[in-house]
Amino acid sequence: MTAPDLTPARCQDLVDGWLDTDLDAWTREVVRRHFDPETGSPYWLRTASELPFDPRDITRYDQLADLGPTDLDLLRHNDPAEFVPLAVPRPLAGRIWDSGGTTGSPCRVFYTPDMIVHRGVWRWWSFVTEGFEPHRRWLQATPTGPHLIGNGTWEVSGLHGGMAYAIDMDPRWVKRLISAGRLAEATDYTNHLLDQMLDVLGGDRVDYLNTTPALLKALLRRDPAAVARLRGVRLSGTQLSSQMYREFVAALDGGICGLSYGNTFGNAAGLPVEQGGDLMPYTPNYPQVTMAVVDRVDGRTVVGAGAVGRVRLTVLHRDLFLPNALERDEAVRHRPGFGNFADGVANVRPLAAVRMGVEGLY
């Protein structure tokens, strides 16, 4: 996939336009598209018939709460095309992406080209604002295959003018091994991943590494010199503590440590880390992705700034609508004190109720 029209100037214009979007107006546009009787989304049109009100009467973002939470299990059992408006020409052609699928069968969603561009341009914005230089060489050491994070090779090469190496990684397999108590085999698989990475990292072929906190930690134990040679790393995943962040920054010996948070449905870009790593904030890929931090019991009640609660995700793409999805993560509600950014999250970690589960390498 290439993006010849997505120049740096065009990418910046897109981000500036998105940040200036009126969220209520955007909500009206998305809701009316998905609930249009003729060209809406099959799933949402079926749902509309069961609601006590006409969803097309929604005029403000906060009224989305009246739709209740979206159970992401719906994406495990329904055809992904059911969530794509009929306004998108059929037959659909493109990629269906999986969630992690480490707690059961994966959720699956279809991404239209506009959705891929939106995600990629926000990634480009992160590269630039975090200081990653264009025209460099990257190693993408993240989940691959059906996992959207593996699309980062296009984001690096197509949008940031770089070259990208990649390795094979199946996060479901290593988590399955750990859950079954097959720890020796899990260690073998981790070493297999590290062998692939070090084969590329040898000879100073790579400037930057995109990986997960757990895998970077394993690499640092195995070969700290290989980490120190990097100009920077970019980390995705929820297994990042303040202590780990400081450890990585020290190991990079002046290199960049960029952060992102999200999943197959919606993402957030890292903002500058504060308090020496004690506060790691993220801003959602607005306006198509919004995040709130809500009471762990009452998913409609947003906690105060600086308080901890459960992450609630709303996806407002013209081609995918998922309101009020309660994530398996908890975070601090963060209100950026600069720029034109929406409310975001900070210090994300697995929700306490599921934290005892096996996290694996992602």
Side-chain angles (χ1 to χ4, degrees):
M1 185 175 185
T2 58
D5 58 328
L6 288 174
T7 62
R10 176 59 178 153
C11 288
Q12 187 62 59
D13 286 345
L14 286 170
V15 171
D16 291 342
W18 291 329
L19 290 174
D20 285 338
T21 299
D22 179 84
L23 189 55
D24 289 336
W26 181 250
T27 297
R28 291 192 292 272
E29 178 178 342
V30 171
V31 168
R32 290 170 187 174
R33 177 174 171 87
H34 283 272
F35 287 99
D36 184 280
E38 301 297 326
T39 60
S41 307
Y43 171 78
W44 288 112
L45 291 178
R46 290 196 303 272
T47 300
S49 66
E50 303 168 1
L51 294 173
F53 62 94
D54 187 340
R56 291 173 296 172
D57 291 336
I58 290 174
T59 60
R60 302 189 313 275
Y61 173 80
D62 61 9
Q63 291 175 309
L64 293 176
D66 295 336
L67 293 172
T70 296
D71 185 351
L72 293 179
D73 274 350
L74 292 168
L75 304 177
R76 302 182 194 273
H77 310 300
N78 286 278
D79 183 342
E82 295 285 287
F83 295 87
V84 181
L86 296 173
V88 179
R90 265 46 175 189
L92 296 175
R95 284 292 301 270
I96 294 170
W97 300 97
D98 284 11
S99 66
T102 54
T103 58
S105 61
C107 300
R108 295 183 171 94
V109 292
F110 178 85
Y111 261 60
T112 60
D114 285 348
M115 293 170 65
I116 288 287
V117 166
H118 173 260
R119 182 182 185 279
V121 169
W122 267 109
R123 291 271 172 165
W124 169 88
W125 180 86
S126 294
F127 300 152
V128 172
T129 57
E130 290 167 345
F132 292 98
E133 297 177 351
H135 314 302
R136 295 290 183 178
R137 298 192 179 202
W138 289 70
L139 169 58
Q140 183 84 11
T142 62
T144 48
H147 303 289
L148 186 56
I149 184 64
N151 201 53
T153 53
W154 168 72
E155 294 158 359
V156 165
S157 59
L159 297 180
H160 209 43
M163 295 178 64
Y165 295 88
I167 68 165
D168 291 319
M169 178 179 175
D170 181 357
R172 299 171 188 166
W173 179 241
V174 68
K175 191 164 185 178
R176 180 175 177 177
L177 294 173
I178 296 172
S179 297
R182 297 157 62 183
L183 301 184
E185 292 176 72
T187 299
D188 284 345
Y189 186 75
T190 301
N191 286 330
H192 167 63
L193 297 176
L194 295 175
D195 289 344
Q196 293 182 69
M197 295 170 65
L198 289 168
D199 184 57
V200 176
L201 293 174
D204 295 327
R205 295 183 220 171
V206 169
D207 300 293
Y208 302 132
L209 169 65
N210 190 8
T211 192
T212 70
L215 200 50
L216 180 59
K217 188 171 184 177
L219 178 65
L220 185 56
R221 285 196 302 264
R222 171 89 167 261
D223 193 338
V227 176
R229 287 195 299 268
L230 293 167
R231 291 174 176 262
V233 298
R234 196 151 198 282
L235 301 173
S236 301
T238 59
Q239 295 189 66
L240 182 64
S241 66
S242 297
Q243 180 179 347
M244 289 172 66
Y245 173 80
R246 288 189 283 267
E247 180 183 356
F248 295 155
V249 169
L252 284 165
D253 194 24
I256 301 164
C257 187
L259 311 175
S260 66
Y261 162 64
N263 54 33
T264 310
F265 319 112
N267 291 276
L271 293 176
V273 170
E274 302 175 25
Q275 303 170 21
D278 286 337
L279 186 71
M280 295 178 288
Y282 305 87
T283 185
N285 293 2
Y286 185 90
Q288 291 89 335
V289 176
T290 63
M291 293 177 178
V293 180
V294 298
D295 183 87
R296 292 184 181 92
V297 177
D298 178 9
R300 292 180 64 124
T301 300
V302 177
V303 304
V308 177
R310 188 171 186 174
V311 178
R312 188 183 71 194
L313 172 71
T314 290
V315 177
L316 281 168
H317 280 288
R318 296 183 77 247
D319 298 331
L320 180 65
F321 177 53
L322 301 172
N324 312 314
L326 295 173
E327 295 279 44
R328 295 189 303 122
D329 305 323
E330 63 185 18
V332 174
R333 180 185 174 192
H334 182 258
R335 302 182 69 175
F338 60 94
N340 190 24
F341 300 114
D343 265 18
V345 297
N347 296 1
V348 181
R349 59 183 181 177
L351 191 68
V354 300
R355 200 179 301 155
M356 296 305 292
V358 176
E359 290 301 319
L361 290 173
Y362 193 55

